[in-house]
């Protein structure tokens, strides 16, 4: 174990020297100090620092992560300033141009292009990411979760702006292990195509590599709360299990699966008739669109005849993304599945897949109704778009990812989070 670590350190050192010299030759703002091996070894050139010269460095992230009021107030003032928000935004055109030289793009954006540990390399992950706008949000997410031994399938909604498509395509073309989904679809909110987007990526990922152990699906406005090493360790501790919301369906949601729907003018409508009961009398469970599942679960989704039948049945339901994965998780024989009995129900707060703050569950600790503290950002469709003031609480949770972030609304929340995670990942090396 120790030997392995030493060997890896030497490899890293060699690579860093090579990369370090490219770095110095390049035009980026490498600090003009003399050659200092400890500096190189400490990887600080991969850290996000004030030397990056981006506007967000004006705020004090360590104070923000501790929830200090003064720093949070300053951050809030800054993030509501129009000039600041505009200066922070990275336009699609930047990505289209900057990716013409992939190596320079990787270096200047500080991508981690070597595995940071054997443990991570031995436990590759597969990601499906659906995107339809806000390329800079997506790129910062990719940068935060990127590792050369993982694999990433990106689905860009067919109705997205051409510049979104071009920019995401340009970014993915810079990495051998990131690719555009082979069959993109037009996503309709709360309708079947949202699931189809993930299914198409699942199939591509399953075919592209036999090595990955877990599948995680994301959207462009998610962000990790853990480093890759922490994610790997938490997944290993699941011991082959899956982690996703899967609970008894509340009565007020049952119409979603008992009546038939159709897509009209890019929206979903009631089709005016009732649906047949689900195939094999499968109990339909309630969950959400975001899951953390093992490779066997994905194989079942793609190959198990019962699930193929369930999928066909689900195509005219309302919001199938919010029950399909949850239902499959309780089908006997699916790897990592649990029995349908309610004793195995798992809530979104107990699953590690995704942290979401729903407006109606916010409140103060001690009240029976409240699930989490008030949102410090603002709400979109009743979901909290996190502000810097949410970070302290979020980092105390066990979830791997949180939804929703928006660099156009609160760039500081994303900045402090990405900076924290990068620092932590590099510190884990020591
Ligand atoms: C940032 O906040 C931390 C924690 O309160 C404090 O120790 C540090 O001095 C602050 N840094 C700056 C540059 O103000
Ligand atoms: C385009 O990218 C190149 C590096 O790849 C850079 O030198 C140049 O300044 C960029 N042009 C614009 C307009 O940003």
């Amino acid at each position: 174990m120790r030997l392995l670590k030493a060997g890896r350190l030497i490899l890293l050192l060699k690579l860093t020297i090579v990369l370090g010299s490219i770095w110095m030759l390049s035009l980026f703002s490498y600090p003009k100090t003399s050659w200092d091996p400890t500096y190189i070894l400490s990887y600080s050139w991969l850290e996000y620092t004030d030397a990056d010269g981006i506007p967000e460095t004006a705020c004090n992230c360590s104070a923000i992560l501790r929830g200090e009021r003064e720093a949070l107030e300053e951050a809030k003032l800054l993030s509501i300033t129009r000039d600041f928000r505009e200066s922070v935004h990275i336009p699609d055109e930047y990505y289209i141009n900057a990716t013409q030289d992939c190596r320079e793009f990787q270096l200047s954006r500080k991508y981690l292009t070597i595995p940071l540990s054997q443990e991570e390399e031995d436990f590759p992950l597969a990601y499906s990411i659906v995107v339809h706008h806000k390329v800079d949000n997506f790129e910062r997410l990719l940068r935060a979760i990127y590792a050369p031994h993982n694999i990433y399938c990106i689905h860009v909604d067919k109705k997205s702006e051409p510049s979104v498509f071009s920019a995401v395509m340009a970014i993915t073309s810079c990495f051998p292990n990131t690719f555009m989904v082979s069959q993109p679809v037009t996503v309709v909110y709360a309708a079947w195509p949202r699931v189809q987007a993930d299914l198409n990526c699942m199939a591509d990922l399953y075919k592209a590599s036999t090595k990955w152990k877990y599948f995680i699906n994301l959207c462009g406005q998610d962000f990790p709360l853990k480093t890759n090493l922490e994610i790997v360790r938490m997944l290993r501790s699941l011991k082959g299990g899956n982690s996703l919301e899967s609970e008894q369906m509340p009565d007020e949601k049952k119409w979603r699966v008992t009546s038939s729907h159709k897509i009209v003018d890019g929206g979903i409508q009631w089709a005016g008739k009732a649906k047949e009961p689900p195939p094999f009398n499968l109990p339909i469970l309630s969950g959400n669109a975001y899951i953390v599942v093992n490779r066997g679960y994905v194989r079942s989704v793609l190959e198990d005849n019962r699930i193929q039948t369930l999928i066909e049945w689900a195509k005219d339901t309302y919001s199938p993304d919010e029950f399909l994965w949850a239902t499959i998780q309780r089908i006997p024989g699916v790897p990592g599945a649990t029995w349908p009995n309610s004793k195995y129900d798992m809530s979104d707060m107990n699953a590690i897949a995704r942290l979401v703050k729903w407006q109606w569950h916010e409140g103060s600790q001690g009240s029976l109704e409240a699930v989490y503290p008030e949102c410090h950002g603002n709400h979109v469709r009743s979901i909290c778009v996190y502000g810097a003031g949410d970070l302290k609480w979020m980092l105390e949770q066990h979830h791997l990812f949180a939804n929703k972030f928006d660099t156009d609304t609160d760039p500081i929340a994303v900045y402090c989070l990405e900076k924290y995670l990068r620092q932590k990942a590099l510190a884990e090396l020591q």
Side-chain angles (χ1 to χ4, degrees), residues 60 62-63 66 68:
N60 184 343
S62 47
R66 290 182 201 192
E68 288 176 22

Side-chain angles (χ1 to χ4, degrees), residues 27 93-94 97-101 104:
L27 296 173
E93 291 69 29
Y94 164 81
N97 177 49
T99 50
Q100 286 173 26
D101 183 340
E104 199 165 279

Side-chain angles (χ1 to χ4, degrees), residues 284-331:
I284 301 298
L285 287 112
S286 171
N288 69 47
Y290 298 105
I291 61 177
V292 165
V293 294
N294 65 49
R295 189 180 176 89
Y297 179 105
V298 173
R299 186 182 58 239
S300 296
V301 168
L302 300 172
E303 294 174 0
D304 188 317
N305 288 330
R306 294 170 300 173
I307 297 176
Q308 297 309 308
T309 312
L310 174 66
I311 282 174
E312 285 310 312
W313 175 85
K315 284 187 175 171
D316 62 348
T317 58
Y318 184 90
S319 216
D321 53 338
E322 292 185 353
F323 73 80
L324 185 71
W325 311 126
T327 297
I328 296 173
Q329 172 59 9
R330 312 298 273 274
I331 297 181

Side-chain angles (χ1 to χ4, degrees), residues 167-209:
V168 174
M169 176 118 137
I171 294 164
T172 57
S173 69
C174 270
F175 302 93
N177 53 334
T178 65
F179 59 87
M180 304 288 277
V181 69
S182 59
Q183 287 187 297
V185 298
T186 303
V187 176
V188 176
Y189 180 73
W192 177 257
R194 170 64 190 84
V195 176
Q196 192 66 51
D198 270 332
L199 282 176
N200 293 354
C201 264
M202 271 184 183
D204 286 352
L205 290 162
Y206 193 75
K207 259 187 275 170
S209 156

